[in-house]
Amino acid sequence: MQLRSDSFAAGAAIPARFAAGRPDDASVVTFSDNVSPHLAWSDVPAGTRSLVLICHDPVVPSRGDDVNQPDREVPADLPRVDFFHWVMVDLPPVLTQLAEGEFSQGVTARGKAGPATRHGARHGLNDYTGWFAGSADMAGDYFGYDGPFPPFNDSLVHRYVFTLYATDLDRCPVDGAFTGAQVRAAIAGHVLAEASTEGTYTLNRRLGASA
């Protein structure tokens, strides 16, 4: 199975229009266009009953002590954890692509609606749900796609891994406001094939902030 995107080159920087945050001269960073990227795939194996899509960033700081502090950087050797940006289950196996902007065109305060979405699929929560939990203006359930917005002072360039799983499940056995970790556990032992592509993004001007 193969997965590609016309929105960014594999292994290259993701353009800022597909991110949730971008550089800003007045306030260091600000919200960006947050457009969901194009994805296309081929060679789905026989016997596939549904597809699962997950996008995650595997190098998010495990502690927030130094995050977005203008007088220092987040250390490169700090342990890193996964941050889920997009979780979608029950995509039909006859589908071969997702159009650019089909699932997101802007940042939605308090999160986009879910779990029901296009193509009969269901969206899970992304991890902005936890990130904005303490904000009076932004707190809510964040379903669907919300793109890169890494700390502006992180010493690592962040990676965004899009993985498509072909499963033998008619319906992924998760319900309600499910998470990426729950989906990974639910499809274990049911994956017939998988394919990934990834891009990078940084808001650290020292590293050459994405444009």
Side-chain angles (χ1 to χ4, degrees):
M1 194 160 71
Q2 310 223 349
L3 179 66
R4 66 173 179 83
S5 175
D6 291 342
S7 298
F8 59 90
I14 295 173
R17 66 187 300 260
F18 303 106
R22 62 172 174 78
D24 182 74
D25 290 337
S27 57
V28 184
V29 292
T30 190
F31 287 119
S32 191
D33 298 327
N34 200 40
V35 173
S36 59
H38 165 268
L39 293 170
W41 52 89
S42 58
D43 303 322
V44 173
T48 300
R49 295 183 176 180
S50 68
L51 303 170
V52 169
L53 176 67
I54 292 177
C55 172
H56 80 289
D57 173 0
V59 296
V60 168
S62 58
R63 294 198 317 273
D65 313 48
D66 299 311
V67 167
N68 293 333
Q69 299 299 319
D71 61 338
R72 57 188 182 275
E73 288 193 346
V74 178
D77 61 357
L78 181 73
R80 302 290 168 141
V81 298
D82 287 342
F83 188 104
F84 291 93
H85 285 265
W86 199 2
V87 181
M88 185 159 46
V89 303
D90 301 343
L91 283 162
V94 295
L95 199 65
T96 59
Q97 66 179 322
L98 306 177
E100 186 174 294
E102 184 175 2
F103 293 93
S104 178
Q105 296 190 39
V107 175
T108 301
R110 304 191 183 282
K112 299 177 186 69
T117 188
R118 296 169 182 259
H119 308 296
R122 291 179 293 144
H123 271 144
L125 295 176
N126 67 54
D127 282 337
Y128 286 109
T129 302
W131 177 255
F132 287 126
S135 169
D137 295 327
M138 298 296 291
D141 287 341
Y142 282 73
F143 288 95
Y145 177 81
D146 285 299
F149 203 152
F152 65 73
N153 66 332
D154 203 340
S155 56
L156 292 184
V157 174
H158 283 237
R159 297 166 48 215
Y160 299 87
V161 184
F162 295 80
T163 305
L164 187 74
Y165 301 89
T167 82
D168 62 7
L169 297 164
D170 290 317
R171 181 183 186 276
C172 189
V174 290
D175 287 294
F178 54 87
T179 67
Q182 289 172 330
V183 170
R184 281 179 172 171
I187 65 175
H190 294 279
V191 176
L192 304 177
E194 64 181 82
S196 296
T197 188
E198 67 177 82
T200 63
Y201 198 76
T202 180
L203 291 173
N204 187 331
R205 293 175 186 268
R206 181 180 67 79
L207 300 177
S210 302

